[in-house]
Structures are given as structure tokens and as C-alpha cells.
């Protein structure tokens, strides 16, 4: 296991492609490394790919990359792992090499529901090839009602897709599609996700860039209102290491380890419960 490089200055190792032995060439002069290399752009071909802290299947899961995402790869090892940086949110880590390929056609559509299926032909009676989660992006070559046909010949229900440039307008409604999904540290799909992934996915569907982790979101999302602000729909409530989305003045939605799921809860009792565990609200932020 290679330890992350201690950054020189304000560089965050989670989003800085640098290790003591290797770093991205654009970081020359900014970090210390034995060698600097140019990256090679790749695309996630699997429904989702784990991004792990080290090149091992039992290493901590830091996040997941979704089908269609691009990643800049700086190293491939002999054990089937590739080290690189996601282009969407900048997260750095190890991905299974088998989940990557050279970039294909530019994505035209995104999955706009919590989960959909890809069929090998134009029939829902065929055994599905794979399941895709909200946020996956696809190159749709044509429409054969009721399917969108991928350039790679997969058939996806067209009603589950939206053009890549058609954005959602209600981030809370996007988050509500995940109610009941299990809590998974580092997860980012309808099979399991964590609190900051729920925020990132909801904002991403609305076309709003969002960093991956809650502390990053706490520093950058919208305007700070203070810890006791009156809540409005779409506000973000931050604790140390946790974030929830306000549905209205009285309720929150969040992926949480207390219920081990995405839940809708009364705001007052949720805030009181977390406070009683030693974590008062740190800040409320509003877009």
C-alpha cells in the first residue's frame, strides 16, 4: 500500500493525483514525487466501479464511479488495478482496470431514475444485461420505441432517460427517489450510498457541480446561513462528517447510519438526536 503524499500547501490528497513515487505531470513544481507522468483518459464501462484507497478488493471504498464517467489514469499495475483521478469531481484512487476502456462516443443521455435495466434486445422479456443507477451517462444512437438504443447495442427504457443537457429543477425530488436505499460508506448508487453522495447525485442531476465529501460540500455549497437558520426546501444541514437536505422547514432527507438507509425524518428530532450523540449542527447552507 502506498501512503498518500502529504501535500505542500493547501493541496488536498483526496483530489491531488500525487504519491511519493508518482504524480501527474501538471503537478511538477507543486508536489514532491520520484517521477511525473502524463495521464491517459479512460471511460467507466461497468455500471459502477469502486474507487478504493489502495489496489486491493478489501481496501476502503472512498467513492464509486458511474458508467460513462471519464477518469485520467496515471498507472496500471500487474494485479489489475489502475490509479487515477475522476474528471467529474477530482477524486483520486484505485479502480479495477477491467472497468475501464478508451473513451467511446460522447454521452447523449443520462439515467434519470433511481435504477433502470439494460436489455440485449427490444424486449423486456429478455434477461437484462446490467442495471444502471441514476447519474450513469450513455451514448444513445437511436430510438426504437419504447427503448433508447446504446451505441454498444444495449436497449434501455427511453422513459428512464433524459438528454444530457436536460437538467432537473428540484434537487429534493431527486433525493427522494433514493428513500429506502441502504446506507453504504463510499457508495454512490441505488444499491447503496452515503450522505454526501446523495447530495452530489441530487445536485448533479440539476447540473450543479458538487464535490464528493461532506466537508468539501460544507466549504463550497451556496451561502452560509449559520447553524440555527430557518430551513427552506433544498437547504443543506451540516454536522461534522454528515449532511442532510431540508425537504421543508420541518423535515430532512439524508442517507444515515442510524437507520442504515436513506430516510425522511422530522428535522427537530433528527437534529436533537445527533446533538445528543455529541454533534451539534455546524452550519446550514443555501444555494
Amino acid at each position: 500500500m502506498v501512503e498518500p503524499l502529504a501535500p505542500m500547501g493547501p493541496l488536498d490528497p483526496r483530489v491531488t493525483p500525487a504519491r511519493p513515487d508518482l504524480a501527474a505531470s501538471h503537478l511538477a513544481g507543486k508536489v514532491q514525487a520520484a517521477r511525473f507522468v502524463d495521464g491517459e483518459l479512460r471511460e467507466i464501462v461497468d455500471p459502477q466501479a469502486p474507487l478504493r484507497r489502495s489496489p486491493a478488493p478489501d481496501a476502503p471504498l472512498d467513492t464509486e464511479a458511474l458508467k460513462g464517467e471519464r477518469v485520467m489514469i496515471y498507472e496500471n499495475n500487474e494485479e489489475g488495478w489502475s490509479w487515477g483521478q475522476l474528471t467529474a469531481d477530482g477524486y483520486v484512487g484505485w479502480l479495477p482496470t477491467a472497468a475501464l476502456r478508451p473513451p467511446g462516443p460522447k454521452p447523449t443521455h443520462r439515467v434519470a431514475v433511481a435504477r433502470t435495466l439494460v436489455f440485449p434486445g427490444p424486449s423486456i422479456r429478455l434477461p437484462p444485461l446490467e442495471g444502471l443507477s441514476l447519474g450513469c451517462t450513455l451514448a444513445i444512437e437511436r430510438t426504437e420505441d419504447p427503448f433508447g438504443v446504446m451505441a454498444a447495442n444495449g436497449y434501455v427504457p427511453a422513459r428512464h432517460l433524459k438528454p444530457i443537457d436536460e437538467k432537473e429543477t428540484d434537487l429534493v425530488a431527486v433525493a427522494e427517489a433514493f428513500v429506502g436505499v441502504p446506507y453504504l460508506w463510499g457508495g454512490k448508487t441505488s444499491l447503496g450510498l452515503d450522505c454526501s453522495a446523495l447530495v452530489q447525485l441530487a445536485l448533479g442531476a440539476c447540473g450543479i457541480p458538487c464535490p464528493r465529501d461532506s466537508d468539501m460540500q460544507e466549504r463550497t455549497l451556496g451561502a452560509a446561513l449559520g447553524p440555527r437558520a430557518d430551513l427552506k426546501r433544498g437547504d443543506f444541514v451540516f454536522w461534522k462528517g454528515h449532511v442532510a437536505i431540508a425537504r421543508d422547514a420541518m423535515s430532512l432527507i439524508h442517507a444515515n447510519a442510524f437507520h442504515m438507509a436513506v430516510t425522511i425524518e422530522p428535522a427537530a428530532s433528527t437534529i436533537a438526536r445527533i446533538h445528543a450523540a455529541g454533534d451539534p449542527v455546524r452550519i446550514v447552507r443555501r444555494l
Side-chain angles (χ1 to χ4, degrees):
M1 175 178 176
V2 179
E3 292 298 325
L5 178 69
M8 297 169 57
L11 298 179
D12 187 330
R14 293 172 293 180
V15 291
T16 305
R19 310 183 322 229
D21 63 323
L22 178 67
S25 57
H26 68 83
L27 293 174
K30 299 179 181 178
V31 301
Q32 296 174 351
R35 62 190 180 98
F36 295 86
V37 299
D38 295 329
E40 296 183 347
L41 191 64
R42 292 292 182 265
E43 176 184 338
I44 303 297
V45 67
D46 287 354
Q48 71 263 2
L51 186 144
R52 299 192 182 277
R53 204 165 300 173
S54 59
D58 58 351
L61 177 68
D62 283 335
T63 188
E64 292 179 302
L66 303 181
K67 189 181 188 75
E69 279 197 66
R70 265 50 173 178
V71 54
M72 191 65 72
I73 295 298
Y74 296 101
E75 181 185 36
N76 302 294
N77 70 19
E78 295 180 354
E79 287 73 43
W81 292 90
S82 296
W83 184 73
Q85 182 174 33
L86 302 179
T87 62
D89 61 21
Y91 226 102
V92 174
W94 292 90
L95 295 149
T97 304
L100 306 171
R101 70 175 183 191
K106 185 177 179 180
T108 61
H109 290 72
R110 60 181 176 85
V111 175
V113 295
R115 196 156 190 85
T116 191
L117 297 172
V118 181
F119 298 92
S123 172
I124 61 172
R125 296 184 179 183
L126 295 171
L129 297 172
E130 58 188 11
L132 302 179
S133 193
L134 186 145
C136 290
T137 54
L138 310 172
I140 298 298
E141 194 172 68
R142 66 187 188 277
T143 298
E144 292 184 16
D145 191 48
F147 296 100
V149 185
M150 299 163 56
N153 289 325
Y155 288 71
V156 187
R159 66 176 63 247
H160 292 172
L161 304 174
K162 287 190 177 180
I164 203 87
D165 57 355
E166 184 179 325
K167 309 304 182 186
E168 305 294 340
T169 58
D170 185 349
L171 70 94
V172 176
V174 177
E176 288 172 341
F178 288 92
V179 169
V181 169
Y183 179 87
L184 174 64
W185 180 278
K188 195 178 166 182
T189 76
S190 56
L191 295 176
L193 77 172
D194 59 26
C195 64
S196 54
L198 183 66
V199 170
Q200 188 183 53
L201 287 167
L203 285 174
C206 297
I208 302 172
C210 177
R212 178 59 177 88
D213 291 344
S214 63
D215 65 312
M216 301 173 178
Q217 296 168 355
E218 183 180 348
R219 292 194 301 268
T220 60
L221 291 182
L225 302 181
R228 296 180 178 84
D230 292 333
L231 296 178
K232 292 185 178 180
R233 187 175 178 87
D235 285 350
F236 303 103
V237 182
F238 288 95
W239 296 263
K240 183 179 180 180
H242 187 59
V243 59
I245 305 169
R247 295 177 68 245
D248 49 39
M250 305 298 292
S251 62
L252 302 172
I253 180 170
H254 59 149
N256 62 93
F258 182 80
H259 295 284
M260 285 304 295
V262 177
T263 55
I264 294 171
E265 299 188 79
S269 60
T270 302
I271 291 170
R273 181 184 74 235
I274 299 175
H275 194 154
D279 288 317
V281 172
R282 288 159 61 108
I283 199 74
V284 174
R285 301 188 71 95
R286 180 173 297 162
L287 295 179

